[in-house]
Structures are given as C-alpha cells and as structure tokens.
C-alpha cells in the first residue's frame, strides 16, 4: 500500500487525573487548569479527568461528599458560591480552553449518594449488620434521617426535583438520638440494589444518604443532569465513582442516554476498587456492549508490593492485572487520590520505583495510562511531597507522545531487569528502547531494527550517560542505572529538544494570575 493511502498513526492517548486530595481549597483550581492546559497538551496529555465539579457539603469538600448535582459553583449553598475548585464561569472557561487545545474533558460523576441534607425527615428503617447488610439486627422503627434536600439557594433552576426519604435506600445517622448505624430504609418497593458487588452481603450502601436508583424520579433527574453537564462542558467522558456500590442496571441506562443524546463515542471508566481480577472481569462482562473501562487496581497493588520487596521478580509485575487480561478495558495508573499517602486506600510506592512504574504504563502498547497530578505537580498541604521521578515524569509522558509506537518486542528474561523495544510506525519511524531495573545496574542486548544501523542513541532522561551505537544487524547493548530506568532514542530524532522544558509544581506554587 502506498504511504499516501495509509491511515496516519494517531498520537498516543494519555489521561491526567488533574487533581490530588490536598490541593488548597482556594477555589481557583479551574483557573490553574485553564491556564496550564496547553502546557499539558505539549507534553502529551490528551485528556483531563477533572474532580467532581458539583457542590459539596462544604466549601472545602472535594466533591465526593456531594450535595447538589446541578450546582457547579453558581449558587450560594453550603457556605459558598464556588466549589473547592472554583465557580461555574471558571469551569466553563476551562472547558472552552480544553476544547481549543484539543484536550478531552472527563468529569468525575458521584452518583452513589448525597450528603449534607437541608432537613431531617421521618422514615421507617431497620438496622443491618455492617459486615452483612442482608442481615437485620433490629426491629423496624422510625428515625429522623437527614434526607430532605430542598436546594433553597438554587430553587428550581435547571431541576425542580426535591429529594426526600423515598429517594434513598439507606442512611447512617439518626438525628433523634444521635446514633450512627447503617439504616436500611423501608417502604413499598424498597430494597438494596441487587446489581452491586456482593462484598458484605450486599455493598449497595457506602456512605451518607444512599441513592435509590430504582425510583423513576431519581433516574429521570440524574439522566437529565448527565445530558445537561455533558453538553454544557463539551464532555467526552465520565469517570464514575464507587461503581461497585450502585446499580449496574441503572448505570447501563445512564450510559445509553448519553450515547443516544450526546455522543456515541463517549468514554466511560469506573472506579471498581478491588484487588480481584475475576470480580473486575465479571463486572465488565455484565456491562458488555457499553464500551466500559475500569481502573487497574490489581496493577497498583503489584507496583506497591514490587517497590517494597527486595529483588521482586519483575517478570510477574503484570500477573493478575486487568491490563494483562483485558487491555482494551484497562485504565492503568500508579497512584490516585484514594491511594496517595494518608488516604483510606493508601498503597505506598517507594520513590525509586515510580519511574519504573510509569515506564511500564506509559511506554508499552497495552492499556490507557492515567498520570496522577500529585506525581506530576507534587502534593500540597500537611503531607506535602515533591513531584515524583525527580521532576521528570513529564519527560516519560513526552517519550510516549513522540516515540512509543509500533510493534513491541519484550525482553522479560531476567527477574530484576526488563527491557522492551517499540519499533515505530510507518509515519513515526523513531521508536524507542526501554530498560528498567529494580536492583543493580541493568543491561540488555536488544534488536531495534536493521533500518537503524549506524545510528547513535542516547537516554532522553539523561539518567544513563553515554551513547549506544546501533550495529549493522540492528542490535545494541542498552543500559540503565541501578533501581532506575532509561529510555533510549536516536539522538537526532525529532522532538529531542523538547525534553526538560516542563517545570513541575508551578501550578500550585506560583498561584493563579
């Protein structure tokens, strides 16, 4: 086939989780992202996963303590007009800048629960065993639950629905006696959702006021919201929080509504956080036909274990992971806001291993990699941390953008040192050779192709000094430092002058102009 008739190779897709838990609650984060969107695009970020944009229970809430879906920082509710991240105008401006820069926007959708109700309401309940929510541990009785949501600051703008006890399936607090428990709300057609994870008997209930997605008014309001926010912000996808805790059947309906009314090619990824490949595959099978992805939790735990285990056998790093079993459905990651230090699902990864882990998700064919803001820009607040990878994570992302294309040849023949080669594509001729070691200095003889004979390759990170001369047979000996990595590319390859230009941490440290 003539080259002019070949399909151009698309640029590699890379997602940025554009927040971390401890970003200051100065209500200017949307401005930071809008200001820096082109900077991220230049290093190879093609999509931003933004935090929950809806009004939380307080001006400091990250949005997972969600109060009002329809308030994007527009109304004076729960102590402020803006959310922690900023006001609606700033969010719309971010969406505009992202679209202009060619960066896709994915919003974090928290559809499992609501928090910070405006009023208590009397309702019938029975307490259930926290370790087995299918087992009642009390008789039926009435409580005063925080279950009335009137949205007085917003009124009826965008949605006239007010939420009451019948729109929820459970709650965790009785205001009558200040008792905390898991209360199953009782009434006609009331039950826990059945299409949820079976941990703890039935894992429908997670926190706050648990939404009953079987109620027709609930379904209509959330479906309408999904279409509204997707069109308002020109969204190209959603990240769904806590999917193992709410109805799979309802999620299918929500997805169908978006594909039918907004965009058939919407991207959907769920947070099904469980170190169980079989459960993850079962979930994906049940959502078959909805083009759904999951974050690869088992891979994160493998990275954590590998970083803490001396001479861990790197050949097993992908064992039991989603990216190995079903790469088309895997969003790969190293850390997120839940697993970062001092969070509930903390999965510590030693600093030396971060570049190795990012190399394994960014420079290989399989999976859709998601970079964590805290690793790229640093972590703020009481638990402040500098950007990972010696401040050069951006260079690993850039190497993915420029060189990680084409066939992949693996050299997984030694327990503490792995190598692989990306052979390039017809219109992206400069591939790369990657080598990682979790022990002493690494070295592998790898084949990059006879078409590269006589070329001189160097490490784009600058961590391994020296040059490699590609032999007449297309082979060469590639090295990396101890407990580190190297990314070898032709020293004359286009784009080599772009490395080292990204300055991490500035999004927080320099404030917003």
């Amino acid at each position: 086939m003539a080259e002019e008739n070949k399909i151009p190779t698309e640029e590699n897709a890379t997602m940025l989780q554009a927040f971390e838990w401890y970003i200051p609650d100065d209500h200017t984060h949307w401005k930071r992202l809008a200001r820096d969107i082109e900077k991220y695009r230049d290093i190879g970020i093609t999509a931003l996963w933004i935090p929950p944009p809806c009004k939380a229970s307080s001006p400091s809430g990250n949005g997972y303590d969600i109060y009002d879906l329809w308030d994007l920082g527009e109304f004076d509710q729960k102590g402020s007009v803006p959310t922690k991240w900023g006001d609606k105008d700033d969010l719309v401006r971010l969406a505009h800048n992202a679209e202009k820069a060619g960066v896709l926007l994915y919003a974090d959708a928290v559809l499992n629960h609501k928090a910070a109700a405006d009023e208590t309401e009397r309702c019938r309940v029975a307490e259930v065993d926290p370790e087995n929510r299918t087992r009642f541990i009390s008789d039926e009785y009435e409580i005063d639950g925080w279950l009335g949501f009137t949205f007085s600051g917003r009124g009826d703008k965008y949605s006239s629905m007010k939420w009451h006890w019948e729109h929820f399936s459970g709650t965790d607090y009785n205001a009558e006696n200040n008792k905390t428990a898991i209360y199953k709300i009782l009434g006609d057609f009331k039950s826990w959702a059945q299409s949820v994870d079976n941990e703890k008997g039935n894992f429908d209930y997670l926190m706050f006021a648990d939404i009953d997605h079987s109620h027709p008014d609930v379904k209509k309001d959330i479906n309408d919201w999904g279409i509204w926010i997707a069109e308002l912000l020109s969204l190209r996808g959603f990240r769904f929080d806590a999917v193992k805790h709410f109805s799979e059947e309802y999620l299918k309906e929500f997805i169908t509504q978006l594909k039918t009314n907004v965009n058939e090619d919407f991207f959907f990824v769920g947070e099904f956080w469980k170190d169980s490949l079989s459960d993850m595959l079962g979930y994906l099978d049940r959502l078959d036909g909805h083009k759904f992805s999951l974050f690869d939790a088992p891979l994160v735990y493998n990275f954590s274990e590998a970083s803490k285990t001396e001479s861990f056998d790197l050949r097993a790093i992908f064992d039991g992971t989603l990216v190995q079993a079903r790469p088309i459905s895997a969003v790969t990651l190293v850390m997120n806001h839940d697993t970062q230090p001092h969070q509930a699902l903390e999965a510590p990864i030693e600093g030396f291993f971060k570049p190795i882990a990012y190399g394994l998700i960014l420079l290989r064919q399989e999976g859709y990699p998601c970079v964590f803001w805290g690793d790229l820009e640093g972590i703020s607040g009481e638990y402040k941390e500098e950007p990972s990878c010696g401040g050069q994570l951006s260079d690993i992302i850039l190497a993915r953008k420029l060189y990680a294309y084409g066939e992949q040849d693996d050299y997984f023949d030694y327990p503490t040192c792995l190598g692989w080669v990306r052979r390039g594509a017809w219109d992206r001729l400069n591939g790369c050779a990657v080598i990682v070691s979790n022990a002493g200095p690494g070295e592998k003889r790898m084949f990059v192709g006879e078409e590269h004979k006589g070329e001189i390759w160097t490490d784009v990170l600058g961590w391994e000094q020296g040059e490699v001369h590609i032999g007449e047979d297309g082979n060469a000996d590639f090295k990396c430092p101890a407990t580190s990595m190297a990314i070898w590319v032709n020293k004359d390859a286009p784009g080599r002058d772009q490395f080292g230009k990204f300055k991490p941490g500035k999004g927080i440290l320099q404030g917003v102009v």
Side-chain angles (χ1 to χ4, degrees), residues 315-342:
R315 295 171 298 183
I317 197 69
F318 294 115
D319 287 359
T321 64
L322 184 60
V323 71
Q324 182 184 68
R326 194 173 298 179
I328 196 171
S329 301
V331 173
T332 54
L333 70 165
V334 176
M335 185 167 284
N336 67 17
H337 63 292
D338 284 325
T339 68
Q340 74 180 90
H342 307 284

Side-chain angles (χ1 to χ4, degrees), residues 193-249:
Q194 296 306 301
S195 55
V196 296
D197 193 63
N198 60 12
E199 187 178 344
K200 299 184 184 298
N202 177 297
F203 222 167
D204 184 4
Y205 187 82
L206 177 63
M207 62 178 68
F208 303 124
D210 189 71
I211 293 175
D212 181 357
H213 294 92
S214 69
H215 196 291
D217 292 344
V218 169
K219 289 195 285 189
K220 182 180 186 309
D221 195 61
I222 298 179
N223 287 346
D224 290 348
W225 169 83
I227 295 169
W228 171 77
I229 192 173
E231 292 179 337
L232 176 70
L233 302 179
S234 299
L235 296 178
R236 294 298 300 276
F238 278 103
R239 179 265 186 189
F240 295 106
D241 185 58
V243 294
K244 68 180 183 179
H245 299 286
F246 69 91
S247 168
E248 298 167 10
E249 295 306 313

Side-chain angles (χ1 to χ4, degrees), residues 184-477:
K184 185 175 186 295
I185 296 174
L186 305 176
D188 294 340
F189 312 110
K190 279 287 174 194
S191 66
W192 295 131
Q194 296 306 301
S195 55
V196 296
D197 193 63
N198 60 12
E199 187 178 344
K200 299 184 184 298
N202 177 297
F203 222 167
D204 184 4
Y205 187 82
L206 177 63
M207 62 178 68
F208 303 124
D210 189 71
I211 293 175
D212 181 357
H213 294 92
S214 69
H215 196 291
D217 292 344
V218 169
K219 289 195 285 189
K220 182 180 186 309
D221 195 61
I222 298 179
N223 287 346
D224 290 348
W225 169 83
I227 295 169
W228 171 77
I229 192 173
E231 292 179 337
L232 176 70
L233 302 179
S234 299
L235 296 178
R236 294 298 300 276
F238 278 103
R239 179 265 186 189
F240 295 106
D241 185 58
V243 294
K244 68 180 183 179
H245 299 286
F246 69 91
S247 168
E248 298 167 10
E249 295 306 313
Y250 170 68
L251 183 56
K252 293 177 185 178
E253 179 179 326
F254 183 86
I255 290 172
T256 299
Q257 290 288 322
L258 282 163
K259 287 188 172 185
T260 302
N261 293 287
V262 183
N263 191 326
E264 174 64 28
D265 295 324
F266 241 68
F267 172 75
F268 301 103
V269 59
E271 180 233 354
F272 188 98
W273 204 259
K274 194 172 187 180
D275 192 9
S276 170
L277 176 60
S278 61
D279 286 351
M280 297 178 79
L281 292 174
Y283 185 89
L284 289 168
D285 288 342
R286 293 191 296 276
L287 266 74
D288 184 45
H290 291 80
K291 294 183 180 178
F292 204 79
S293 298
L294 294 176
F295 290 99
D296 197 345
L299 180 63
V300 173
Y301 291 117
N302 282 5
F303 286 156
S304 179
E305 180 184 357
S307 79
K308 295 180 291 184
T309 304
E310 186 175 355
S311 298
F312 178 91
D313 189 339
L314 290 175
R315 295 171 298 183
I317 197 69
F318 294 115
D319 287 359
T321 64
L322 184 60
V323 71
Q324 182 184 68
R326 194 173 298 179
I328 196 171
S329 301
V331 173
T332 54
L333 70 165
V334 176
M335 185 167 284
N336 67 17
H337 63 292
D338 284 325
T339 68
Q340 74 180 90
H342 307 284
Q343 282 302 298
L345 299 173
E346 181 177 2
I349 297 175
E350 297 296 325
F352 85 90
F353 200 81
K354 285 284 185 76
I356 297 172
Y358 273 109
L360 288 165
I361 70 168
L362 288 168
L363 301 175
R364 296 179 58 76
Q365 285 181 324
E366 301 84 8
Y368 180 6
C370 179
V371 174
F372 179 48
W373 170 280
D375 285 328
L376 181 63
E377 293 278 19
I379 291 174
S380 305
E382 180 182 357
Y383 305 112
K384 179 177 172 63
E385 288 190 8
E386 296 300 316
S388 72
C389 306
Q392 287 188 254
L393 177 53
S394 60
D395 287 335
I396 306 176
I397 302 169
L398 182 59
R400 171 179 174 80
K401 172 186 176 181
L402 296 176
Y403 311 123
Y405 296 93
E407 295 180 13
Q408 178 174 287
D409 298 327
D410 287 337
Y411 295 79
F412 284 27
D413 54 353
Y414 194 77
T416 59
C417 181
L418 305 181
W420 64 93
V421 172
R422 300 298 302 276
R423 299 284 295 279
W426 73 270
D427 53 346
R428 296 179 184 268
L429 301 178
N430 292 280
C432 60
V434 185
I435 182 167
V436 302
S437 171
N438 66 337
E443 181 173 356
K444 286 198 182 292
R445 187 166 184 80
M446 299 192 291
F447 177 73
V448 297
E450 294 178 5
E451 66 273 19
H452 296 292
K453 65 183 179 182
E455 294 179 358
I456 298 174
W457 289 28
T458 57
D459 174 22
V460 300
L461 300 175
W463 296 347
E464 179 65 40
Q465 298 299 307
E467 299 177 340
V468 166
H469 295 254
I470 309 301
E472 291 291 317
D473 60 357
N475 285 283
D477 296 321

Side-chain angles (χ1 to χ4, degrees), residues 62 287 399 478:
N62 283 323
L287 266 74
F478 297 95

Side-chain angles (χ1 to χ4, degrees), residues 16-59:
L16 173 65
Q17 179 182 352
F19 65 102
E20 55 93 10
W21 197 261
Y22 303 112
I23 283 177
D25 54 351
D26 57 9
H27 317 298
T28 62
H29 192 55
W30 299 145
K31 290 181 179 179
R32 292 187 190 106
L33 294 177
R35 178 195 64 190
D36 292 338
I37 191 74
E38 291 187 1
K39 177 180 75 170
Y40 297 129
R41 184 66 186 86
D42 287 346
I43 64 170
I45 298 300
T46 59
L48 290 189
W49 155 22
I50 61 171
C54 308
K55 186 61 59 72
S57 66
S58 78

